[in-house]
Amino acid sequence: MSRELAKTYDPSGIEDRLYQKWLDKKYFHAEVDESKKPFTIVIPPPNITGQLHMGHALDETLQDILIRFKRMQGYNTLWQPGTDHASIATEVKITEKLREEGIDKESLGREKFLERAWAWKKEYGGRIVNQLKKLGSSCDWDRERFTMDEGCNKAVNEVFVKMYEKGYIYKGARMVNWCPVCNTSISDAEVEYEEQAGHFWHIKYPILNDDDTESGEYLVFATTRPETMLGDTAVAVHPEDERYKHLVGKNLMLPLMNRKIPVVADEYVDREFGTGVVKITPGHDPNDFEVGKRHDLPLINIMNDDATINENGGKFAGMERYAARKAIVAELEQMGLLVKIEDHVHNVGTHDRCGATVEPLVKAQWFVKMDELIKPAQKAVREGEIRLVPESMQKNYFNWTDNIRDWCISRQLWWGHRIPAWYCDDCGEIVVSRTAPEKCPKCGATHLTQDPDTLDTWFSSALWPFSTLGWPEQTKELKYFYPTDVLVTGYDIIFFWVIRMIFSGYEQMGEKPFKTVFFHGLVRDSQGRKMSKSLGNGIDPLEIIAKYGADALRLTLVTGNAPGNDMRFYYEKVESNRNFANKIWNASRFILMNMGDEQPARPAESELAPADRWIISKANRLVKDVTENMEKYELGVAVQKIYDFIWDEFCDWYIEMVKPRLYAKEDAASRNAALYTLKNVLIDALKLLHPYMPFVTEEIFCSLQEDEDSIMVSAWPVYDGAKDYPAEEAAVESIKEAIRGIRNARTGMDVPPSKKAHVYVVSALAEKRASFAENADFIKSLASASELIVQEDRSGIGEDAVSVVIPDVNLYIPLGELVDIEKELERLQKEEQRLEKELARVNGMLSNEKFTSKAPAEKIAEERAKLDKYSRMMEQVKEQIANLRK
RNA sequence: GGGAUCAUAGCUCAGCUGGGAUGAGCGUCCGCUUGACGUGCGGGAGGUCACAGGUUCGAACCCUGUUGGUCCCACCA
């Protein structure tokens, strides 16, 4: 059985081999099985254009941890994978590529373009999936989906038609955010505001008399966008503004355009801001649009889709927007209408994809009416039907749902779900239908043209939790796996995606899409900056995996981080986690070496040494704690406990304690009990660790365990009250305490300290004997405190040696070295002070009526126990001090 | 402008519903070629838990305010 194992753990090779094994054995695959409870996660589908980045790595790791945990707990787990067509992101990339080839998208034509897009999908769609596999993701790849596959298309059309029929989807001319570079409308969520230095141009318009002659008076106002004046159709003042009350109803002459526009009164104007006068451009400003509607003002669009001035801009037609701005300002100045220019910092809306300044334009677009749809989504979170982790995300969530506006879903793009609406060429009737209509239902004409627009990419993602399970078909999967259990995603797409899935779930399925949303933060670089291409500070997860292994990366991404918080990425952290993998590797190597060709037999209860019971008891409580933490999504806390247990308790203490028994071959039963405990405690710890570090745990598990195929389908350990050994725990803890004390006492001596606790001690050198004798009492008192036995050294190494034997544990502790009296005294006095303080505190609490009457019984018992413990410790310390002083 | 969130060891962060700062990783210092592991072992230094008040028997944790950082939303022309 014992193999030649390398001294250091090298994940390369091992990881791919194990992943292939899991695939071959179909461990990731889930089938409907009514006898088992399902546990489902749908993956946030990565973009087909995407390359795996740290954000994915974190997202996938968290999901894989939850899925592996639940799988081991016996749930029928489905991790539903897939990819997103990412309409605009992909289209931008393909268009770029075409441009590089010297091909213009428009001249290529829609059909050819889509051919290219599908080819692209074929080429790159698989890339990200393969990268996800490198992380160890246990997705059910047999069920992989794509947001534009046949089923998802069907779902999209179904939803569109249903919502259109219900009146939730409508087409209307509304102010939208227009990206002049991508040439499409975008939703509010896609607009990013950016602070930019700009100017305030103070301009004045001449006031006209009733007979249209200039009165010589002017209205002065400020604007950040002078070019929009070409589309002004009014100037507004506050109705109660005494300064301008008399002008309401009068007309102004719009310079450059020579158009007569009225002065209107509207509450929207802030009297305090600027001059209290606002120019109104209903065609190019969302607020002005509303004002325009209230006052029935004409709406003039002065811009083309590419943000050049159109024919409504008079002589400025054809100019680019900023060139026009310059020309207009110059001309106004010439006319003496420019009062002044001020510097001004303001927020400018930009497109989150391309960074271009967004232009508010009035366009005929498709919208989803949100006011009714959002209600169940609000209610679900408010009433706890859907839980957000961490809870603080609720505020973010409600901030959006409470201020929701209709969702612009049409995009002037080609790559995406074509809007299932047709227009009759003859009568203009709109036909919305699941399939292409043969003829116009109104006039019977057979010439119908489909709407050229496609849908916002998030429209299909919103349906993801049920479309991937087969909806609109009533599949058995849908009935069994829906609603899903948890959605894991970054807080940055709560508005884009999470909210939209929730209201879509309620609307289409009549049921929430998931029970819990588990949010994580962003992975930043070591300086706290967002990883980005432009900064070039991105760290490639695949490189990390190649160098340190997926396990180390995964552990790095989940430790020391609370849900929803951003984290910084440090190579040092990966390194230390790689070291942890190596540590476990070596611990198991040690066990394998000692097991040799035999598997230890289950020892009788009586054969277990106190040390065995101690570690069993510790492991048992670890199981309880870790399971509880994981159920509360405290993954970082959970894995920290496993880490500490394995490294500190198991490796640094238990293995060391057990060594004498393993080497003393004469006591076979004791040796067997030690080996058995070593092996089985490690296996339990490996199981707890497996969700976090799937590869190294599997590799070791398979070496240690002969009768099971894989740790990933083994049973999750369960807390067992019978494995609690409080007495042994307390005993060993005090032994540890004693050993530490002894080690401390030895520092500063000119005798080399021993590395290991079990080292047999060479006695004090002859000339130091006196010193040793002086300290014998101390050693004895420490020993007796820990129920140790002081006896002659049995190692046979030194004649004058004395060692301590811990009964049953068979642990030899070197005591032969000398104790520095001064130092020890100092230490004890410090200890005494600490205890005094503690005793005072506990006494104070316990004698306080308010505490004893109000505090929970558990707490009081705990404090009483502390009081006892401290009192006893105090006695000992006092005794030791007295002894030392002798 | 509204809101959220953070401020704990040199650095990065944990710290559950108020009850010993029990902290972790990295760094740093001292000592260890020891038969699982130097990707290791043992030990040490280092914190007035941002500041000021308040509630409480008791506050890193609750409340108020101040300062500083980050983020989200809004977009007053």
Side-chain angles (χ1 to χ4, degrees):
Chain A
M1 166 78 210
S2 83
R3 310 183 191 168
E4 267 313 302
L5 292 175
K7 267 186 150 185
T8 50
Y9 173 66
D10 178 9
S12 63
I14 292 180
E15 294 187 349
D16 288 343
R17 169 168 55 80
L18 292 177
Y19 198 82
Q20 193 53 49
K21 166 186 150 185
W22 295 332
L23 285 176
D24 292 345
K25 299 232 173 187
K26 294 264 174 222
Y27 288 148
F28 302 162
H29 184 64
E31 280 296 333
V32 171
D33 178 354
E34 295 292 346
S35 70
K36 284 163 120 190
K37 269 177 82 180
F39 183 88
T40 314
I41 296 180
V42 284
I43 203 170
N47 295 351
I48 47 167
T49 58
Q51 288 253 46
L52 189 78
H53 55 66
M54 278 300 169
H56 293 123
L58 171 61
D59 200 49
E60 308 310 326
T61 297
L62 295 175
Q63 292 172 74
D64 199 39
I65 289 168
L66 295 174
I67 278 284
R68 285 178 186 270
F69 168 52
K70 289 291 171 181
R71 190 183 288 120
M72 289 173 75
Q73 278 192 324
Y75 287 84
N76 188 11
T77 49
L78 169 63
W79 186 5
Q80 170 65 52
T83 50
D84 194 295
H85 67 285
S87 124
I88 193 161
T90 308
E91 180 145 338
V92 165
K93 284 215 170 166
I94 297 171
T95 309
E96 259 170 35
K97 179 104 184 295
L98 287 172
R99 201 178 301 131
E100 277 168 29
E101 293 173 27
I103 303 170
D104 176 57
K105 174 183 146 191
E106 297 296 329
S107 58
L108 185 68
R110 183 168 194 142
E111 222 163 284
K112 289 267 179 227
F113 180 87
L114 287 177
E115 273 173 32
R116 292 284 299 239
W118 279 105
W120 176 286
K121 191 260 161 186
K122 216 172 163 187
E123 190 178 347
Y124 295 109
R127 181 177 63 180
I128 186 97
V129 166
N130 287 329
Q131 292 172 335
L132 294 182
K133 291 178 179 174
K134 285 276 175 197
L135 282 164
S137 309
S138 59
C139 300
D140 186 352
W141 298 110
D142 299 341
R143 295 180 181 275
E144 189 184 337
R145 297 293 301 271
F146 176 53
T147 49
M148 269 172 74
D149 65 21
E150 207 190 319
C152 287
N153 284 341
K154 228 172 146 184
V156 164
N157 284 340
E158 181 67 25
V159 168
F160 191 96
V161 173
K162 261 174 79 183
M163 296 224 289
Y164 179 77
E165 283 166 357
K166 272 184 107 171
Y168 286 156
I169 287 184
Y170 65 93
K171 189 174 185 179
R174 292 257 320 264
M175 177 86 31
V176 295
N177 306 296
W178 182 264
C179 176
V181 170
C182 303
N183 249 303
T184 179
S185 55
I186 55 177
S187 70
D188 294 337
E190 287 163 278
V191 178
E192 232 162 50
Y193 287 91
E194 194 177 279
E195 239 183 33
Q196 282 180 11
H199 301 284
F200 245 148
W201 285 273
H202 292 250
I203 296 168
K204 56 184 183 180
Y205 289 170
I207 298 167
L208 297 178
N209 293 319
D210 291 341
D211 59 0
D212 287 354
T213 55
E214 290 200 10
S215 67
E217 266 189 278
Y218 294 90
L219 261 185
V220 183
F221 57 87
T223 177
T224 54
R225 305 188 55 202
E227 69 277 13
T228 61
M229 69 161 290
L230 302 173
D232 283 0
T233 54
V235 165
V237 296
H238 193 275
E240 254 118 71
D241 194 333
E242 293 301 331
R243 291 172 294 179
Y244 306 117
K245 234 175 174 165
H246 65 289
L247 293 174
V248 175
K250 291 206 184 275
N251 285 314
L252 300 166
M253 178 53 66
L254 180 65
L256 305 176
M257 299 304 290
N258 292 319
R259 185 159 68 228
K260 214 167 82 174
I261 57 173
V263 178
V264 299
D266 198 286
E267 303 262 334
Y268 150 72
V269 180
D270 179 354
R271 276 172 284 184
E272 311 298 318
F273 190 85
T275 57
V277 182
V278 187
K279 69 194 244 336
I280 301 297
T281 323
H284 297 277
D285 181 280
N287 288 310
D288 294 7
F289 180 77
E290 297 300 321
V291 175
K293 271 208 290 203
R294 283 199 285 274
H295 297 274
D296 214 13
L297 298 171
L299 186 150
I300 300 171
N301 180 14
I302 58 148
M303 239 178 248
N304 294 313
D305 288 352
D306 62 356
T308 56
I309 306 299
N310 66 16
E311 66 281 0
N312 292 330
K315 61 181 169 187
F316 301 98
M319 292 177 90
E320 194 276 328
R321 55 183 160 174
Y322 299 116
R325 174 181 296 178
K326 227 173 150 183
I328 287 165
V329 169
E331 203 146 322
L332 287 173
E333 188 170 18
Q334 249 181 14
M335 295 168 73
L337 296 175
L338 182 68
V339 181
K340 62 174 173 178
I341 305 174
E342 272 176 354
D343 286 339
H344 180 64
V345 176
H346 60 150
N347 281 323
V348 176
T350 60
H351 185 196
D352 63 356
R353 284 282 153 206
C354 70
T357 299
V358 165
E359 203 58 57
L361 288 180
V362 176
K363 288 260 175 187
Q365 298 286 342
W366 291 91
F367 293 90
V368 177
K369 209 166 165 251
M370 289 310 309
D371 47 0
E372 285 301 317
L373 279 174
I374 201 66
K375 284 180 184 162
Q378 286 171 310
K379 194 173 160 226
V381 173
R382 196 183 315 116
E383 295 179 356
E385 182 75 8
I386 296 178
R387 205 178 131 216
L388 306 188
V389 178
E391 214 168 287
S392 59
M393 286 297 163
Q394 284 193 6
K395 282 163 188 158
N396 249 330
Y397 181 91
F398 290 126
N399 187 19
W400 182 266
T401 57
D402 292 347
N403 300 300
I404 193 122
R405 290 193 286 174
D406 287 0
W407 174 19
C408 176
I409 49 170
S410 47
R411 296 289 181 277
Q412 290 63 56
L413 300 167
W414 288 345
W415 176 241
H417 300 92
R418 187 102 176 240
I419 290 177
W422 285 260
Y423 306 99
C424 174
D425 291 351
D426 289 356
C427 70
E429 174 76 356
I430 300 179
V431 188
V432 170
S433 159
R434 288 168 184 85
T435 51
E438 299 277 318
K439 57 180 183 182
C440 172
K442 197 174 168 194
C443 72
T446 51
H447 295 286
L448 292 112
T449 309
Q450 188 172 6
D451 193 302
D453 289 358
T454 52
L455 287 165
D456 181 4
T457 201
W458 298 101
F459 192 89
S460 55
S461 330
L463 319 177
W464 191 244
F466 45 91
S467 65
T468 50
L469 293 173
W471 193 88
E473 310 301 328
Q474 288 301 313
T475 58
K476 58 183 194 300
E477 279 86 357
L478 194 63
K479 283 179 204 142
Y480 182 70
F481 290 114
Y482 192 92
T484 68
D485 289 89
V486 55
L487 178 85
V488 179
T489 191
Y491 61 72
D492 51 332
I493 55 171
I494 180 166
F495 310 130
F496 285 106
W497 196 40
V498 178
I499 289 172
R500 287 166 182 171
M501 275 193 287
I502 294 176
F503 71 69
S504 299
Y506 280 106
E507 177 62 20
Q508 307 307 329
M509 300 290 298
E511 168 74 289
K512 64 193 163 221
F514 29 71
K515 296 163 193 157
T516 303
V517 187
F518 180 34
F519 287 105
H520 60 251
L522 267 41
V523 185
R524 297 170 176 279
D525 73 359
S526 60
Q527 292 164 56
R529 299 173 306 183
K530 239 169 148 163
M531 290 189 187
S532 76
K533 267 189 202 145
S534 53
L535 274 174
N537 62 342
I539 296 165
D540 182 0
L542 297 172
E543 266 177 44
I544 300 288
I545 290 172
K547 195 166 171 201
Y548 300 100
D551 287 333
L553 172 62
R554 291 167 62 116
L555 197 55
T556 302
L557 292 172
V558 292
T559 42
N561 182 247
N565 284 3
D566 289 356
M567 60 168 308
R568 298 191 189 199
F569 191 91
Y570 285 92
Y571 282 95
E572 293 86 342
K573 227 174 132 184
V574 192
E575 216 166 287
S576 80
N577 288 323
R578 186 267 323 259
N579 294 353
F580 179 53
N582 187 57
K583 184 76 183 173
I584 312 168
W585 178 256
N586 274 295
S588 69
R589 208 161 64 94
F590 172 79
I591 297 171
L592 285 170
M593 278 169 57
N594 282 288
M595 284 196 330
D597 295 328
E598 283 166 69
Q599 287 279 344
R602 185 190 195 92
E605 175 78 15
S606 61
E607 286 169 340
L608 291 175
D612 302 336
R613 293 188 187 173
W614 163 75
I615 197 74
I616 288 169
S617 193
K618 281 267 183 187
N620 190 37
R621 208 174 37 260
L622 179 74
V623 165
K624 188 170 176 235
D625 289 352
V626 166
T627 308
E628 278 172 11
N629 283 131
M630 289 183 74
E631 255 144 23
K632 287 192 278 184
Y633 297 96
E634 293 162 357
L635 306 186
V637 177
V639 76
Q640 186 68 52
K641 287 178 183 169
I642 304 170
Y643 182 103
D644 291 342
F645 174 82
I646 292 180
W647 203 312
D648 297 343
E649 307 289 10
F650 189 75
C651 292
D652 288 347
W653 286 101
Y654 185 63
I655 287 185
E656 295 306 330
M657 284 183 194
V658 127
K659 275 176 177 171
R661 290 162 64 196
L662 294 179
Y663 297 152
K665 308 235 165 156
E666 60 274 12
D667 191 346
S670 168
R671 188 179 137 77
N672 175 69
L675 263 182
Y676 183 88
T677 310
L678 275 172
K679 180 187 143 186
N680 287 288
V681 167
L682 180 63
I683 283 177
D684 272 0
L686 288 174
K687 286 182 175 186
L688 298 180
L689 186 62
H690 176 257
Y692 299 88
M693 304 181 87
F695 294 110
V696 70
T697 51
E698 173 79 328
E699 183 69 2
I700 296 172
F701 180 85
C702 293
S703 308
L704 284 174
Q705 187 82 343
E706 287 177 322
D707 32 338
E708 281 183 80
D709 267 344
S710 169
I711 194 170
M712 71 166 286
V713 290
S714 70
W716 186 258
V718 180
Y719 171 79
D720 175 4
K723 288 182 180 171
D724 274 337
Y725 297 108
E728 281 83 351
E729 266 199 57
V732 175
E733 287 309 322
S734 63
I735 288 164
K736 283 167 65 177
E737 197 68 29
I739 293 172
R740 282 201 202 96
I742 292 161
R743 279 175 184 157
N744 278 342
R746 295 151 60 80
T747 51
M749 308 304 298
D750 56 350
V751 182
S754 65
K755 179 199 168 199
K756 290 174 184 173
H758 74 273
V759 164
Y760 306 153
V761 169
V762 181
S763 111
L765 301 167
E767 62 268 31
K768 292 189 176 164
R769 209 137 173 215
S771 246
F772 173 72
E774 278 183 325
N775 290 291
D777 284 344
F778 162 64
I779 294 163
K780 280 180 188 159
S781 70
L782 255 186
S784 69
S786 316
E787 294 164 344
L788 310 182
I789 297 169
V790 180
Q791 62 174 48
E792 295 305 308
D793 179 61
R794 304 193 308 192
S795 68
I797 299 172
E799 285 173 18
D800 303 324
V802 166
S803 66
V804 162
V805 178
I806 299 169
D808 304 325
V809 180
N810 209 17
L811 172 63
Y812 292 78
I813 301 171
L815 290 180
E817 305 308 340
L818 305 178
V819 174
D820 183 319
I821 296 185
E822 294 306 315
K823 274 202 165 174
E824 188 52 25
L825 206 54
E826 209 178 290
R827 192 186 70 82
L828 284 169
Q829 277 163 350
K830 257 166 108 178
E831 177 73 5
E832 189 182 14
Q833 280 172 14
R834 189 184 73 95
L835 284 170
E836 249 166 39
K837 229 174 91 187
E838 278 312 308
L839 280 170
R841 187 187 65 82
V842 177
N843 267 324
M845 272 170 76
L846 286 173
S847 59
N848 188 307
E849 255 182 54
K850 281 184 184 165
F851 172 73
T852 46
S853 60
K854 281 183 198 164
E858 258 177 58
K859 198 97 223 163
I860 297 173
E862 203 178 292
E863 294 302 329
R864 284 198 204 289
K866 278 183 193 171
L867 185 67
D868 285 351
K869 191 176 150 198
Y870 294 147
S871 312
R872 260 185 289 121
M873 284 168 71
M874 191 57 145
E875 274 172 41
Q876 286 166 15
V877 168
K878 288 213 153 102
E879 198 186 313
Q880 286 165 16
I881 290 176
N883 281 339
L884 270 184
R885 289 222 164 99
K886 272 192 236 160

